[in-house]
Amino acid sequence: MKRRTSRAGTDPVPAPLRGIIPMLLLTLLVVALAVPAGIAIAPAFLGPDRSADAAKPAPPWQQAPTRLSSPRGTGGIGPLSASAAAPDAGPLAAQLNDSLKTDGAGTITGAVQDAATGQLLFDRSGDEARVPASNMKLFTASAALRVLGPDRRFSTKVVAGSAPGSVVLTGGGDVLLGAGESAPGAVVGHAGLATLAQATVRALQNDGVSGTVTVLLDDSLFSGPPLNPAWSPDDVAAGEMAPLYPLATNSARFDPAKTTGPRPQDAAMAAAEAFTAQLTAAAAAAGLSVAPGVVRAPAGAGSGPEKSGPDKSRPGKGDVRVLAEVQSATVGQQVDLLLRTSDNYLAEVMGRMTALAGGRPGSNDGAIAAVLQQLKDMDIPTDTLRAEDVSGLALANQVSARQLTDVVRAMTSGKDTRLRAALAGFPVAGLTGTLGDRYTDASTAGGAGLVRAKTGTLNTVIALSGYVVDADGRLLVFSFIGNGLTPGAANKAALDRAASVLARCGCR
């Protein structure tokens, strides 16, 4: 049986959920989660009252507002009350242990921390190293936000080639290119190849170029093997991963509307061919022609006679003349996407871009080293952590639940506010991303709309790490990891039940 990661892409809303979505939307409440210092974080969202005691009034922070809040200071909402009580460890453990029962073989470890104080409220072998599946992406997201910053964008450029009439399409890390015109409001397709082609033709016209234009491809930004030997060939064939390049359309997908199935095995060349098609169309209107086919150029092929200063995004490339350029969505937006859809390809590219920004090679080893260094800098112990990739597709990864709660706590409540940019990307239980089709039955509906967590799924592995505000208004971070499970068994529900316990629990 094939090992598979969490699905990339938001599933259609399942039929059991359609009836409650209008009620969810009507009762949606934005909650600012913050440390006592008052740093606001991303909101939790209301779900329906499915508790055993439905007659008990919901606490104020889980009720629909009757009026808009007045702006305060910079417009942020006030922090959660510092007087909200944390759950008692004993009653909480009793409920969680009752929920965390496997269906068949295997075991589940877990940890729950109070976000404000770091107090460990639940510990079930929380320091034991386990296969984390796609929860590995939480480490990659935090490293990217710390090193690159949430506002960083990646550039895809066309530069003048060394031969007259030649242009070089140069990859700069944007694998979310669109084939059409740039879409400023989008993440996938924020930078469009048609827009890049049109700008290239205008630049060529201004330079007085005539005749036939030749397109070359420079995708030399990354180094090392494009495929990690730790990945299963079955997973690659199924489209969970593909050879990594520093430019691609639709996160190396043939169709932006299809986020499953096989991927192109040469995503950079596929993007270059799409660019050439757009350039051909734009050039025809300007009286130019474009030679068929694209040739890979050696690194530094762009070295036309006219100079516009060094291209600092490509170390060692020297002076080049940039003819046209498009920029990606921000790193923060891309991190949201990779967490929400659990996109392995995008996560691995983000790891390599993080490595390059830190002065390391843009390779698998460089990405791993960059991520581990950031965890150490965040004071997250890494002695027991083993990383074979930065997406979580490799079964050789070893991570503890406590390490995952530590990184989620850093995102929600740590001093580095750049990490707050990751919070909106956590899937919302029953509503978005890889949690969109979960939390729909009576045992888990108490967490619907409230739990925000990153999923992880391999053949015998499940994981769930995230954050939630409990019934007393206390922000909790959690991680549950199941390993050695019976393939195909109903174990996701156990993790969802546990997270729902946290959402509805005062537990005293």
Side-chain angles (χ1 to χ4, degrees):
M1 185 176 290
K2 295 180 181 178
R3 297 171 289 181
R4 301 295 297 274
T5 59
S6 306
R7 284 188 300 276
T10 303
D11 293 332
V13 177
L17 190 56
R18 290 177 189 140
I20 70 169
I21 283 182
M23 177 167 60
L24 284 171
L25 295 176
L26 287 173
T27 59
L28 194 65
L29 173 61
V30 177
V31 177
L33 307 177
V35 291
I39 300 173
I41 64 173
F45 295 97
L46 266 184
D49 182 5
R50 305 288 182 84
S51 62
D53 184 8
K56 182 180 179 181
W61 46 88
Q62 292 186 5
Q63 294 180 8
T66 58
R67 62 184 179 83
L68 294 175
S69 299
S70 299
R72 293 184 195 174
T74 58
I77 304 173
L80 295 173
S81 172
S83 63
D88 290 340
L92 179 62
Q95 293 198 42
L96 290 176
N97 284 324
D98 188 55
S99 299
L100 293 171
K101 295 177 180 178
T102 61
D103 178 19
T107 58
I108 299 174
T109 62
V112 178
Q113 287 181 268
D114 180 82
T117 66
Q119 178 187 0
L120 189 62
L121 302 172
F122 174 75
D123 183 5
R124 186 196 244 189
S125 301
D127 288 324
E128 180 181 321
R130 312 277 279 177
V131 183
S134 285
N135 277 204
M136 198 79 180
K137 293 180 176 71
L138 293 171
F139 298 150
T140 307
S142 62
L145 291 171
R146 282 172 56 86
V147 175
L148 295 165
D151 297 326
R152 173 76 177 272
R153 299 179 188 270
F154 305 142
S155 294
T156 304
K157 299 178 181 179
V158 176
V159 303
S162 55
S166 65
V167 298
V168 184
L169 176 66
T170 306
D174 186 1
V175 296
L176 302 180
L177 291 163
E181 295 187 358
S182 296
V187 179
V188 179
H190 185 90
L193 293 175
T195 298
L196 184 64
Q198 293 160 12
T200 300
V201 169
R202 289 194 296 270
L204 292 173
Q205 286 181 300
N206 290 339
D207 288 348
V209 173
S210 60
T212 301
V213 178
T214 302
V215 178
L216 295 88
L217 168 65
D218 182 357
D219 59 357
S220 62
L221 185 62
F222 294 166
S223 57
L227 278 176
N228 187 333
W231 295 329
S232 163
D234 288 343
D235 284 337
V236 176
E240 299 293 352
M241 185 56 71
L244 291 163
Y245 294 96
L247 78 163
T249 57
N250 313 316
S251 195
R253 292 289 186 191
F254 291 106
D255 183 343
K258 295 181 180 179
T259 55
T260 59
R263 299 177 187 254
Q265 295 303 292
D266 192 338
M269 186 57 72
E273 290 170 349
F275 168 75
T276 301
Q278 296 287 1
L279 187 67
T280 300
L288 297 172
S289 62
V290 177
V294 181
V295 177
R296 270 195 168 85
S303 55
E306 296 181 63
K307 311 296 182 183
S308 62
D311 179 3
K312 296 179 181 179
S313 71
R314 301 299 310 278
K317 187 165 183 170
D319 288 346
V320 297
R321 172 168 163 71
V322 177
L323 300 175
E325 176 180 1
V326 288
Q327 291 194 324
S328 71
T330 66
V331 165
Q333 292 170 320
Q334 294 189 56
V335 163
D336 280 357
L337 180 66
L338 77 85
L339 292 178
R340 187 172 67 254
T341 63
S342 202
D343 190 319
N344 297 311
Y345 195 93
L346 182 57
E348 292 291 339
V349 167
M350 196 63 68
R352 293 191 181 209
M353 294 303 291
T354 301
L356 287 165
R360 290 183 168 88
S363 63
N364 180 67
D365 290 346
I368 292 171
V371 170
L372 292 180
Q373 182 61 55
Q374 290 307 306
L375 294 180
K376 292 176 183 177
D377 291 348
M378 294 163 63
D379 296 324
I380 297 176
T382 59
D383 292 346
T384 61
L385 194 157
R386 178 181 175 187
E388 291 296 325
D389 69 10
V390 298
S391 63
L393 188 60
L395 278 170
N397 293 320
Q398 292 284 299
V399 173
S400 72
R402 183 62 187 273
Q403 289 162 331
L404 287 165
T405 58
D406 282 345
V407 78
V408 176
R409 181 173 176 244
M411 290 173 172
T412 63
S413 311
K415 295 179 180 179
D416 190 342
T417 57
R418 292 172 297 183
L419 298 182
R420 304 288 189 272
L423 294 173
F426 281 62
V428 181
L431 292 176
T432 64
T434 54
L435 287 182
D437 59 355
R438 291 162 62 168
Y439 294 79
T440 60
D441 62 26
S443 69
T444 60
L450 296 172
V451 172
R452 302 193 69 138
K454 179 71 195 76
T455 58
T457 308
L458 292 170
N459 198 32
T460 61
V461 176
I462 55 172
L464 190 71
S465 300
Y467 63 98
V468 65
V469 177
D470 74 3
D472 284 332
R474 198 77 184 183
L475 175 61
L476 308 177
V477 296
F478 64 88
S479 178
F480 307 118
I481 308 174
N483 275 194
L485 304 172
T486 301
N491 282 302
K492 290 180 181 178
L495 305 194
D496 294 346
R497 285 194 300 269
S500 296
V501 164
L502 298 177
R504 67 174 184 260
C505 185
C507 295
R508 290 187 303 281

